[in-house]
Amino acid sequence: MKASVTKGLGQGFVIEEVELAAPIGHEVRVQVRASGLCHSDLSVATFIGGEFPVVLGHEVAGVVTATGPDVTQVKTGDHVVGSLIQYCGSCVNCLSGRTHICLHPEYTLRAPEEAPRLSWNGAPVAQGMGLGGFAQETLVHENQLAVIPDEMPWAPAALIGCGVLTGAGAVLNSANVQHGETVVVMGAGGVGMNAVSGARLAGAGKIIVTDIEDGKLARARAFGATHVVNSRETDPVEAVRDITGGGAHHVFDFVGARPVTAQGLRMLGSGGGLYLIGVAGNDAGVEVSTMAALGGSQKVQGVYMGSSHLKRDIPFYASMYLQGRMNLDDLVSKEIGLADIEEGYEALKDGTTARVVITDLS
Ligand SMILES: NC(=O)c1ccc[n+]([C@@H]2O[C@H](COP(=O)([O-])OP(=O)(O)OC[C@H]3O[C@@H](n4cnc5c(N)ncnc54)[C@H](O)[C@@H]3O)[C@@H](O)[C@H]2O)c1
Ligand SMILES: [Zn+2]
Ligand SMILES: [Zn+2]
């Protein structure tokens, strides 16, 4: 099968003929129908690094074509969406419903002594996040897959796997926003827009979005922001304190630059929470004054994958989309072929592009 291989740091995405093993145990073979381009894969390929060669791609949707002998949760012909959340189902965190912080994520992977899932020219190829979605087919542990209705279109389905779980999950799961509460979304990118959708589903009283580009803010309004603030032109802290009458209940930071995160902390009202999601660089972080935090009963929380349980949340977002209650279509700005990943990432630099999805896998 064809796969887009990243052979080393800064070596881009190159189409190669790659071997995919037959499914064993709980593995599921999936014919990929759509694969989203998330920033994190580009970061791995350009500066974070890891195992090489590797097939990246972790926003993947497709059809089950074969199952290993121990698979019980999906069957051939099912439409599925994958997620990078890897969980065992039996550790103390999984058993308390927090599969996103499973203590044994390696349970979903082959043991080092087993034959690799992917190989190229007879040598092993790593599979990004247990998914390897930049390929015509992939082999995935059944715990990393959720079944979606057949009528769900492929491109928006793929986005659910990372951007939607992260953005909407931060609001619905991590912060557990209650109806009537005020929400601030800092950074109106592809993930932030899903936080706006999540805030609408939660019944947030006010949804304030900040960004530095008017085009992004216009899109945020279309997704359901009740107020937008261009933080290049207006002090966002003053604006939020003004709009909320003293400070917000929940502030979600999808930017992750130190000055922005510090602003987010100052936007909080009594009992408010600041949620850290975006990472703009290695020095991302915030200084918390104990006196201010305890006086206002405030909290700062890091959020991984929207604290999602993929088996519950992926079908939920698909049903919200199919009922017309969640806008995913306007996140799919461009559809490309498997060979065009580099052009796709280039297109993402343009302020008007939310998400690029590979839908031509020929
Ligand atoms: N924590 C997790 O589990 C997780 C999962 C997925 C993605 N992420 C991260 O979430 C972040 C957002 O992802 P995305 O795809 O939406 O990125 P994006 O680049 O599409 O969006 C970021 C937005 O922030 C805006 N921005 C930049 N500087 C700003 C400033 N000073 N004030 C306000 N807005 C500003 C940009 O204009 C852009 O609209 C990324 O850092 C990504 O790596 C985290
Ligand atoms: Zn991602
Ligand atoms: Zn576990």
Side-chain angles (χ1 to χ4, degrees), residues 39 162 166 187-192 210-212 216 231 254-255 260 277-279 303-305 355:
H39 284 93
C162 181
T166 298
V191 182
T210 73
D211 204 289
I212 49 175
K216 306 255 177 146
S231 51
F254 292 97
V255 182
V260 176
I277 303 118
V279 185
V303 175
Y304 179 63
M305 290 304 294
R355 273 287 195 261

Side-chain angles (χ1 to χ4, degrees), residues 176-197:
N176 191 18
V177 170
Q178 300 295 298
H179 64 275
E181 292 182 336
T182 49
V183 165
V184 178
V185 172
M186 298 196 296
V191 182
M193 284 308 92
N194 291 304
V196 173
S197 296

Side-chain angles (χ1 to χ4, degrees), residues 38-41 58-59 84 129 162-163 166 305 355:
C38 178
H39 284 93
S40 329
D41 281 323
H58 66 270
E59 278 189 344
L84 62 80
M129 299 167 180
C162 181
T166 298
M305 290 304 294
R355 273 287 195 261

Side-chain angles (χ1 to χ4, degrees), residues 14-328:
V14 181
I15 298 287
E16 298 288 357
E17 199 58 38
V18 169
E19 294 289 319
L20 188 69
I24 58 168
H26 290 272
E27 288 175 348
V28 177
R29 191 166 178 142
V30 178
Q31 182 191 51
V32 178
R33 303 297 292 273
S35 198
L37 268 54
C38 178
H39 284 93
S40 329
D41 281 323
L42 185 64
S43 306
V44 169
T46 53
F47 70 91
I48 295 176
E51 271 184 280
F52 292 109
V54 61
V55 175
L56 294 167
H58 66 270
E59 278 189 344
V60 55
V63 183
V64 174
T65 54
T67 53
D70 302 328
V71 170
T72 59
Q73 302 169 50
V74 301
K75 59 183 190 309
T76 300
D78 278 350
H79 291 199
V80 290
V81 167
S83 162
L84 62 80
I85 298 171
Q86 297 170 316
Y87 72 93
C88 72
S90 54
C91 73
V92 66
N93 288 354
C94 283
L95 290 173
S96 61
R98 296 175 297 161
T99 50
H100 64 289
I101 46 169
C102 171
L103 299 174
H104 298 291
E106 75 287 352
Y107 167 81
T108 57
L109 301 173
R110 286 191 178 187
E113 64 273 13
E114 288 177 308
R117 285 178 181 166
L118 292 171
S119 50
W120 169 52
N121 286 338
V125 175
Q127 187 190 33
M129 299 167 180
L131 291 170
F134 292 161
Q136 289 178 317
E137 289 185 276
T138 181
L139 203 55
V140 182
H141 192 285
E142 62 175 327
N143 284 7
Q144 284 190 257
L145 296 172
V147 179
I148 54 163
D150 288 358
E151 59 268 32
M152 181 78 202
W154 292 114
L159 300 186
I160 296 177
C162 181
V164 177
L165 283 185
T166 298
V171 173
L172 295 170
N173 299 324
S174 316
N176 191 18
V177 170
Q178 300 295 298
H179 64 275
E181 292 182 336
T182 49
V183 165
V184 178
V185 172
M186 298 196 296
V191 182
M193 284 308 92
N194 291 304
V196 173
S197 296
R200 284 187 66 184
L201 288 173
K206 286 177 181 166
I207 307 171
I208 306 161
V209 177
T210 73
D211 204 289
I212 49 175
E213 289 186 33
D214 287 333
K216 306 255 177 146
L217 292 170
R219 185 168 60 207
R221 277 212 187 271
F223 270 79
T226 58
H227 301 75
V228 298
V229 179
N230 185 327
S231 51
R232 261 201 186 128
E233 293 162 5
T234 308
D235 178 345
V237 178
E238 268 178 37
V240 166
R241 299 197 78 83
D242 200 32
I243 294 163
T244 56
H249 291 104
H250 308 277
V251 177
F252 298 90
D253 179 9
F254 292 97
V255 182
R258 285 193 84 85
V260 176
T261 312
Q263 287 172 343
L265 193 60
R266 297 205 307 279
M267 291 173 185
L268 295 180
S270 293
L274 171 65
Y275 300 88
L276 310 178
I277 303 118
V279 185
N282 290 333
D283 70 333
V286 68
E287 192 167 326
V288 177
S289 148
T290 302
M291 284 305 282
L294 74 84
S297 284
Q298 292 161 342
K299 70 170 177 182
V300 177
Q301 183 181 330
V303 175
Y304 179 63
M305 290 304 294
S307 316
S308 301
H309 191 327
L310 73 102
K311 298 276 186 187
R312 176 195 62 186
D313 293 345
I314 290 174
F316 169 69
Y317 297 128
S319 75
M320 288 299 99
Y321 170 85
L322 290 170
Q323 290 175 26
R325 296 165 68 189
M326 186 162 205
N327 182 358
L328 299 180

